[in-house]
Structure formats: C-alpha cells, structure tokens
Coordinates of all heavy atoms in Angstrom, one line a residue:
M64 N -25.0 19.4 45.8 CA -24.3 19.4 44.5 C -24.1 17.9 44.0 O -23.4 17.2 44.8 CB -22.9 20.1 44.6 CG -23.0 21.5 45.2 SD -23.1 22.8 44.0 CE -23.5 24.2 45.0
Y65 N -24.5 17.6 42.9 CA -24.4 16.2 42.4 C -23.1 16.0 41.6 O -22.5 15.0 41.6 CB -25.6 15.9 41.5 CG -26.9 16.0 42.3 CD1 -27.8 17.0 42.0 CD2 -27.2 15.2 43.4 CE1 -29.0 17.2 42.7 CE2 -28.4 15.3 44.1 CZ -29.3 16.3 43.7 OH -30.4 16.5 44.4
C66 N -22.7 17.0 40.8 CA -21.5 16.9 40.1 C -20.5 18.0 40.5 O -20.8 18.9 41.2 CB -21.8 16.9 38.6 SG -22.1 18.6 37.9
Q67 N -19.3 17.9 39.9 CA -18.3 18.9 40.3 C -18.2 20.0 39.3 O -17.1 20.7 39.2 CB -16.9 18.1 40.4 CG -17.0 17.0 41.5 CD -17.2 17.6 42.9 OE1 -16.6 18.5 43.3 NE2 -18.2 16.9 43.6
G68 N -19.2 20.2 38.5 CA -19.2 21.3 37.5 C -19.0 22.6 38.1 O -19.4 22.9 39.2
E69 N -18.4 23.5 37.3 CA -18.2 24.9 37.7 C -19.5 25.7 37.7 O -20.2 25.6 36.7 CB -17.2 25.6 36.8 CG -16.6 26.9 37.3 CD -15.9 27.7 36.3 OE1 -15.4 27.1 35.3 OE2 -15.7 28.9 36.4
M70 N -19.8 26.4 38.8 CA -21.0 27.2 38.9 C -20.7 28.6 38.3 O -19.8 29.3 38.7 CB -21.5 27.3 40.3 CG -21.8 25.9 41.0 SD -23.0 24.9 40.1 CE -24.5 25.8 40.4
K71 N -21.6 29.0 37.3 CA -21.4 30.3 36.7 C -22.6 31.2 37.0 O -23.7 30.7 36.9 CB -21.1 30.2 35.2 CG -19.8 29.5 34.9 CD -19.4 29.5 33.5 CE -18.0 29.1 33.3 NZ -17.6 28.8 31.9
P72 N -22.4 32.5 37.2 CA -23.5 33.4 37.4 C -24.3 33.6 36.2 O -23.7 33.7 35.1 CB -22.9 34.7 38.0 CG -21.5 34.6 37.5 CD -21.1 33.2 37.3
G73 N -25.6 33.7 36.3 CA -26.4 34.0 35.1 C -27.8 34.2 35.6 O -28.1 34.6 36.7
T74 N -28.8 34.0 34.7 CA -30.2 34.1 35.0 C -30.9 32.9 34.5 O -30.5 32.2 33.6 CB -30.8 35.4 34.5 OG1 -30.8 35.3 33.0 CG2 -30.2 36.6 35.0
A75 N -32.1 32.6 35.1 CA -32.9 31.5 34.7 C -34.3 31.8 34.9 O -34.7 32.8 35.6 CB -32.5 30.2 35.4
T76 N -35.2 31.0 34.4 CA -36.6 31.1 34.5 C -37.1 30.4 35.8 O -36.7 29.3 36.0 CB -37.4 30.5 33.3 OG1 -36.9 31.2 32.1 CG2 -38.9 30.7 33.4
Y77 N -37.8 31.1 36.6 CA -38.3 30.5 37.9 C -39.8 30.2 37.7 O -40.6 31.1 37.3 CB -38.1 31.5 39.0 CG -38.3 30.9 40.4 CD1 -37.2 30.6 41.2 CD2 -39.6 30.7 40.9 CE1 -37.3 30.0 42.4 CE2 -39.7 30.1 42.2 CZ -38.6 29.8 42.9 OH -38.7 29.3 44.2
H78 N -40.2 29.0 37.8 CA -41.5 28.5 37.6 C -42.2 28.2 38.9 O -41.7 27.5 39.7 CB -41.5 27.3 36.7 CG -42.8 26.8 36.3 ND1 -43.0 25.5 35.8 CD2 -44.0 27.4 36.2 CE1 -44.3 25.3 35.5 NE2 -44.9 26.5 35.7
V79 N -43.4 28.9 39.1 CA -44.1 28.7 40.4 C -45.5 28.1 40.0 O -46.2 28.7 39.3 CB -44.3 30.0 41.1 CG1 -45.0 29.8 42.5 CG2 -43.0 30.7 41.4
D80 N -45.8 26.9 40.6 CA -47.1 26.3 40.5 C -47.8 26.4 41.8 O -47.4 25.8 42.8 CB -47.0 24.8 40.1 CG -46.7 24.7 38.6 OD1 -47.4 25.3 37.8 OD2 -45.9 23.9 38.2
R81 N -48.9 27.2 41.8 CA -49.6 27.3 43.0 C -51.1 26.9 42.8 O -51.5 26.8 41.6 CB -49.6 28.8 43.5 CG -48.2 29.3 43.8 CD -47.6 28.8 45.1 NE -48.3 29.3 46.2 CZ -48.0 28.8 47.5 NH1 -47.1 27.9 47.6 NH2 -48.7 29.3 48.5
R82 N -51.8 26.7 43.8 CA -53.2 26.3 43.7 C -53.9 27.6 43.1 O -54.0 28.6 43.8 CB -53.8 26.0 45.1 CG -54.8 25.0 45.1 CD -55.3 24.9 46.6 NE -56.8 24.7 46.5 CZ -57.4 23.6 46.7 NH1 -56.7 22.5 46.9 NH2 -58.7 23.6 46.7
G83 N -54.4 27.5 41.9 CA -55.2 28.5 41.3 C -54.4 29.5 40.4 O -55.0 30.3 39.7
Y84 N -53.1 29.4 40.4 CA -52.4 30.2 39.5 C -50.9 29.7 39.3 O -50.5 28.9 40.1 CB -52.3 31.7 40.0 CG -51.5 32.0 41.2 CD1 -50.1 32.3 41.1 CD2 -52.0 31.8 42.5 CE1 -49.4 32.6 42.3 CE2 -51.3 32.1 43.6 CZ -49.9 32.4 43.5 OH -49.2 32.7 44.6
H85 N -50.3 30.2 38.2 CA -49.0 29.7 37.9 C -48.2 30.9 37.4 O -48.7 31.8 36.7 CB -49.0 28.7 36.7 CG -50.0 27.6 37.1 ND1 -49.6 26.4 37.7 CD2 -51.3 27.5 36.9 CE1 -50.6 25.7 37.9 NE2 -51.7 26.3 37.4
V86 N -46.9 31.0 37.8 CA -46.1 32.2 37.5 C -44.8 31.7 36.9 O -44.2 30.8 37.3 CB -45.8 33.0 38.8 CG1 -44.9 34.2 38.5 CG2 -47.1 33.5 39.5
L87 N -44.4 32.5 35.8 CA -43.1 32.3 35.2 C -42.4 33.6 35.3 O -42.8 34.6 34.7 CB -43.3 31.9 33.7 CG -43.4 30.4 33.3 CD1 -43.6 30.3 31.8 CD2 -42.2 29.7 33.8
L88 N -41.2 33.5 36.0 CA -40.4 34.7 36.1 C -39.1 34.6 35.3 O -38.4 33.6 35.5 CB -40.1 35.0 37.6 CG -41.3 35.2 38.5 CD1 -40.9 34.9 39.9 CD2 -41.7 36.7 38.4
D89 N -38.9 35.5 34.3 CA -37.7 35.4 33.5 C -36.6 36.2 34.2 O -36.8 37.0 35.0 CB -38.0 36.1 32.2 CG -39.0 35.4 31.3 OD1 -39.0 34.1 31.4 OD2 -39.7 36.0 30.5
H90 N -35.4 35.8 33.8 CA -34.2 36.5 34.2 C -34.0 36.6 35.8 O -33.6 37.7 36.3 CB -34.2 38.0 33.6 CG -34.5 38.0 32.2 ND1 -33.9 37.3 31.2 CD2 -35.6 38.6 31.6 CE1 -34.4 37.5 30.1 NE2 -35.5 38.3 30.2
V91 N -34.3 35.5 36.5 CA -34.0 35.5 37.9 C -32.5 35.2 38.1 O -32.0 34.2 37.5 CB -34.9 34.5 38.6 CG1 -34.6 34.4 40.1 CG2 -36.4 34.8 38.4
P92 N -31.8 36.0 39.0 CA -30.4 35.7 39.2 C -30.2 34.3 39.7 O -30.9 33.8 40.6 CB -30.0 36.7 40.2 CG -31.1 37.8 40.1 CD -32.3 37.1 39.7
A93 N -29.2 33.6 39.1 CA -29.0 32.2 39.5 C -27.6 31.8 39.2 O -26.8 32.5 38.5 CB -29.9 31.3 38.7
W94 N -27.2 30.7 39.8 CA -25.9 30.0 39.5 C -26.2 28.8 38.7 O -27.1 28.0 39.1 CB -25.1 29.7 40.8 CG -24.7 30.9 41.5 CD1 -25.4 31.6 42.4 CD2 -23.4 31.6 41.3 NE1 -24.6 32.7 42.8 CE2 -23.4 32.7 42.2 CE3 -22.3 31.4 40.5 CZ2 -22.4 33.6 42.2 CZ3 -21.2 32.2 40.6 CH2 -21.3 33.4 41.5
I95 N -25.5 28.7 37.6 CA -25.8 27.6 36.7 C -24.6 26.7 36.5 O -23.5 27.2 36.3 CB -26.3 28.1 35.3 CG1 -27.6 28.9 35.5 CG2 -26.5 27.0 34.3 CD1 -27.6 30.2 34.6
C96 N -24.7 25.4 36.6 CA -23.6 24.5 36.5 C -23.2 24.4 35.1 O -24.1 24.1 34.2 CB -24.0 23.1 37.1 SG -22.7 21.9 36.9
S97 N -21.9 24.6 34.8 CA -21.5 24.6 33.4 C -21.4 23.1 32.9 O -21.3 22.9 31.7 CB -20.1 25.2 33.3 OG -19.2 24.5 34.1
Q98 N -21.5 22.2 33.8 CA -21.4 20.8 33.3 C -22.8 20.1 33.1 O -23.0 19.6 32.0 CB -20.6 20.0 34.4 CG -20.0 18.8 33.9 CD -18.9 18.3 34.8 OE1 -17.7 18.6 34.7 NE2 -19.3 17.5 35.8
C99 N -23.7 20.2 34.0 CA -25.0 19.5 33.9 C -26.1 20.5 33.7 O -27.3 20.0 33.5 CB -25.2 18.6 35.1 SG -25.5 19.6 36.6
G100 N -25.9 21.8 33.8 CA -27.0 22.8 33.6 C -27.9 23.0 34.8 O -28.9 23.7 34.7
E101 N -27.6 22.3 35.9 CA -28.4 22.4 37.1 C -28.4 23.9 37.6 O -27.4 24.6 37.5 CB -27.8 21.6 38.2 CG -28.6 21.5 39.5 CD -29.8 20.6 39.5 OE1 -29.7 19.5 38.8 OE2 -30.8 20.9 40.1
V102 N -29.6 24.4 38.0 CA -29.8 25.8 38.3 C -29.9 25.9 39.9 O -30.7 25.2 40.5 CB -31.0 26.4 37.6 CG1 -31.3 27.8 38.1 CG2 -30.7 26.4 36.1
Y103 N -29.2 26.9 40.4 CA -29.4 27.2 41.9 C -29.7 28.7 41.9 O -28.8 29.5 41.6 CB -28.1 26.9 42.7 CG -27.7 25.4 42.6 CD1 -26.9 24.9 41.6 CD2 -28.3 24.5 43.6 CE1 -26.6 23.6 41.6 CE2 -28.0 23.2 43.5 CZ -27.1 22.7 42.5 OH -26.8 21.4 42.5
F104 N -30.9 29.0 42.4 CA -31.3 30.4 42.4 C -30.6 31.1 43.6 O -30.4 30.5 44.7 CB -32.8 30.5 42.5 CG -33.4 30.2 41.2 CD1 -34.0 28.9 41.0 CD2 -33.4 31.0 40.1 CE1 -34.6 28.5 39.8 CE2 -34.0 30.7 38.9 CZ -34.6 29.4 38.8
E105 N -30.3 32.4 43.4 CA -29.8 33.2 44.5 C -30.7 33.3 45.7 O -31.9 33.4 45.5 CB -29.6 34.7 44.0 CG -28.4 34.9 43.0 CD -27.1 35.1 43.7 OE1 -27.1 34.9 45.0 OE2 -26.1 35.4 43.1
K106 N -30.2 33.2 46.9 CA -31.0 33.2 48.1 C -31.9 34.4 48.2 O -33.0 34.3 48.5 CB -30.1 33.0 49.3 CG -30.8 32.5 50.5 CD -29.8 32.2 51.6 CE -29.4 33.5 52.4 NZ -28.4 33.2 53.4
E107 N -31.3 35.6 47.8 CA -32.0 36.8 47.9 C -33.2 36.8 46.9 O -34.2 37.3 47.2 CB -31.1 38.0 47.6 CG -30.0 38.3 48.7 CD -28.8 37.4 48.6 OE1 -28.7 36.6 47.7 OE2 -28.0 37.5 49.5
A108 N -32.9 36.3 45.7 CA -34.0 36.2 44.7 C -35.1 35.3 45.2 O -36.3 35.7 45.0 CB -33.4 35.7 43.4
V109 N -34.8 34.2 45.8 CA -35.8 33.3 46.3 C -36.6 34.0 47.4 O -37.9 33.8 47.5 CB -35.2 32.0 46.8 CG1 -36.2 31.1 47.5 CG2 -34.5 31.2 45.7
Q110 N -36.0 34.8 48.3 CA -36.7 35.5 49.3 C -37.7 36.5 48.7 O -38.8 36.6 49.2 CB -35.7 36.2 50.3 CG -35.0 35.2 51.2 CD -33.9 35.8 52.0 OE1 -33.5 36.9 51.7 NE2 -33.3 35.0 52.9
V111 N -37.3 37.2 47.7 CA -38.2 38.2 47.0 C -39.3 37.4 46.4 O -40.5 37.9 46.5 CB -37.4 39.0 46.0 CG1 -38.4 39.8 45.1 CG2 -36.4 39.9 46.6
I112 N -39.1 36.3 45.8 CA -40.1 35.5 45.1 C -41.1 35.0 46.1 O -42.3 35.0 45.9 CB -39.5 34.4 44.3 CG1 -38.8 35.0 43.1 CG2 -40.6 33.4 43.8 CD1 -37.9 34.0 42.3
Q113 N -40.6 34.6 47.3 CA -41.5 34.1 48.4 C -42.5 35.2 48.9 O -43.6 34.9 49.1 CB -40.7 33.5 49.5 CG -40.3 32.1 49.2 CD -39.2 31.5 50.1 OE1 -38.7 32.2 50.9 NE2 -39.0 30.2 49.9
R114 N -41.9 36.4 49.0 CA -42.8 37.6 49.3 C -43.8 37.8 48.2 O -45.0 38.1 48.5 CB -42.0 38.8 49.6 CG -41.2 38.8 50.8 CD -40.8 40.2 51.3 NE -40.0 41.0 50.4 CZ -38.6 40.9 50.4 NH1 -38.0 40.1 51.2 NH2 -37.9 41.6 49.6
L115 N -43.4 37.8 47.0 CA -44.2 37.9 45.8 C -45.4 36.9 45.8 O -46.5 37.2 45.6 CB -43.4 37.8 44.6 CG -43.9 38.1 43.2 CD1 -42.8 38.6 42.3 CD2 -44.5 36.9 42.5
I116 N -45.0 35.7 46.1 CA -46.0 34.6 46.2 C -47.0 34.8 47.3 O -48.2 34.6 47.2 CB -45.3 33.2 46.2 CG1 -44.6 32.9 44.9 CG2 -46.3 32.1 46.6 CD1 -43.7 31.8 45.0
G117 N -46.5 35.3 48.5 CA -47.4 35.6 49.6 C -48.4 36.6 49.2 O -49.6 36.5 49.5
D118 N -48.0 37.7 48.5 CA -48.9 38.7 48.0 C -49.9 38.1 47.0 O -51.1 38.4 47.0 CB -48.1 39.9 47.3 CG -47.3 40.7 48.3 OD1 -47.6 40.6 49.5 OD2 -46.5 41.5 47.9
M119 N -49.4 37.3 46.1 CA -50.2 36.7 45.0 C -51.3 35.8 45.6 O -52.4 35.8 45.2 CB -49.3 35.9 44.1 CG -48.6 36.7 43.1 SD -49.6 37.4 41.7 CE -49.9 35.9 40.8
D120 N -50.9 35.0 46.6 CA -51.8 34.1 47.3 C -53.0 34.9 47.8 O -54.2 34.5 47.6 CB -51.2 33.4 48.5 CG -50.4 32.2 48.0 OD1 -50.5 31.8 46.9 OD2 -49.6 31.6 48.8
A121 N -52.7 36.0 48.5 CA -53.8 36.9 49.1 C -54.7 37.4 48.0 O -55.9 37.4 48.1 CB -53.2 38.0 49.9
R122 N -54.1 38.0 46.9 CA -54.8 38.6 45.8 C -55.7 37.5 45.1 O -56.8 37.8 44.7 CB -53.9 39.2 44.8 CG -53.1 40.4 45.4 CD -53.9 41.6 45.7 NE -53.1 42.6 46.4 CZ -53.4 43.1 47.5 NH1 -54.6 42.9 48.1 NH2 -52.6 44.0 48.1
V123 N -55.1 36.4 44.9 CA -55.8 35.3 44.2 C -57.0 34.9 45.0 O -58.1 34.6 44.5 CB -54.9 34.1 43.8 CG1 -55.7 32.9 43.3 CG2 -53.9 34.6 42.7
R124 N -56.8 34.7 46.3 CA -58.0 34.4 47.2 C -59.1 35.4 47.1 O -60.2 35.1 47.0 CB -57.5 34.3 48.7 CG -57.0 32.9 49.0 CD -57.0 32.7 50.5 NE -56.2 33.7 51.2 CZ -54.9 33.5 51.4 NH1 -54.2 32.5 51.0 NH2 -54.2 34.5 52.1
E125 N -58.7 36.7 47.1 CA -59.6 37.8 47.0 C -60.4 37.7 45.7 O -61.6 37.8 45.7 CB -58.8 39.1 47.0 CG -59.4 40.3 47.7 CD -58.4 41.5 47.6 OE1 -57.3 41.3 48.3 OE2 -58.6 42.4 46.9
L126 N -59.6 37.4 44.6 CA -60.2 37.3 43.3 C -61.2 36.2 43.2 O -62.4 36.4 42.7 CB -59.1 37.1 42.2 CG -59.6 36.9 40.8 CD1 -60.2 38.2 40.2 CD2 -58.4 36.4 40.0
V127 N -60.8 35.0 43.6 CA -61.6 33.8 43.5 C -62.9 34.0 44.3 O -64.0 33.5 43.9 CB -60.8 32.6 43.9 CG1 -61.7 31.4 44.1 CG2 -59.7 32.3 42.9
Q128 N -62.8 34.6 45.5 CA -64.0 34.8 46.3 C -65.0 35.8 45.7 O -66.2 35.7 46.1 CB -63.5 35.3 47.7 CG -63.0 34.2 48.6 CD -62.3 34.7 49.8 OE1 -62.3 35.9 50.1 NE2 -61.6 33.8 50.5
T129 N -64.5 36.7 44.9 CA -65.5 37.7 44.3 C -66.1 37.2 43.1 O -67.1 37.7 42.6 CB -64.7 39.0 44.0 OG1 -63.7 38.7 43.1 CG2 -64.2 39.7 45.2
V130 N -65.6 36.1 42.5 CA -66.2 35.5 41.2 C -67.4 34.7 41.5 O -67.4 33.9 42.5 CB -65.1 34.7 40.4 CG1 -65.8 34.0 39.3 CG2 -64.0 35.6 40.0
Ligands
ZN172 ZN1 -23.6 20.0 37.7

C-alpha cells in the first residue's frame, strides 16, 4: 500500500497479456483505493483467472500448432 486511502469494494478490468493472446475481463471483484485509484484484485478472483489462463495457454498452443 503506497497511500493511506480507504479501500472500497468494487469491480475492475483485468488485463492479461500472454504470448499469442490477450484477454480483457470486465467486472472482476476488486478493492479500489478511494484516494489514488489503485486496484487490488480479490485473491479468489486472481486464482480463478490463473486457472482460466492455464486453460487458455493449452488451447492456444493447440490452435497455433494446427494452423
Ligand atoms: Zn491509494
């Protein structure tokens, strides 16, 4: 935490840049600093996104190999 701003629950866009693909997820649960706007994503949300990326990595590899 860089500032002492109050953290408020909300949602934010999660941007994933991977080799070969890019994902934008809307409305990901997050805590947002009311002072500086810094976003901290919910730990559970990040875990789900990591599983999603694992699946995507495998599918994208499959796709690229078939082209
Ligand atoms: Zn802040």
Side-chain angles (χ1 to χ4, degrees):
M64 307 265 170
Y65 301 111
C66 78
Q67 299 299 312
E69 192 193 342
M70 300 305 288
K71 292 188 171 169
T74 63
T76 301
Y77 195 103
H78 185 200
V79 185
D80 277 316
R81 301 287 290 175
R82 214 184 137 103
Y84 69 95
H85 308 267
V86 179
L87 269 180
L88 297 157
D89 292 331
H90 315 303
V91 176
W94 291 87
I95 300 140
C96 178
S97 59
Q98 204 161 267
C99 68
E101 186 80 34
V102 171
Y103 299 90
F104 289 100
E105 286 276 10
K106 204 171 77 183
E107 290 81 4
V109 172
Q110 286 169 351
V111 171
I112 290 167
Q113 276 166 354
R114 286 204 297 275
L115 188 149
I116 290 167
D118 290 346
M119 282 285 286
D120 278 348
R122 298 289 173 233
V123 169
R124 270 200 303 274
E125 216 175 294
L126 174 70
V127 169
Q128 280 165 8
T129 58
V130 173

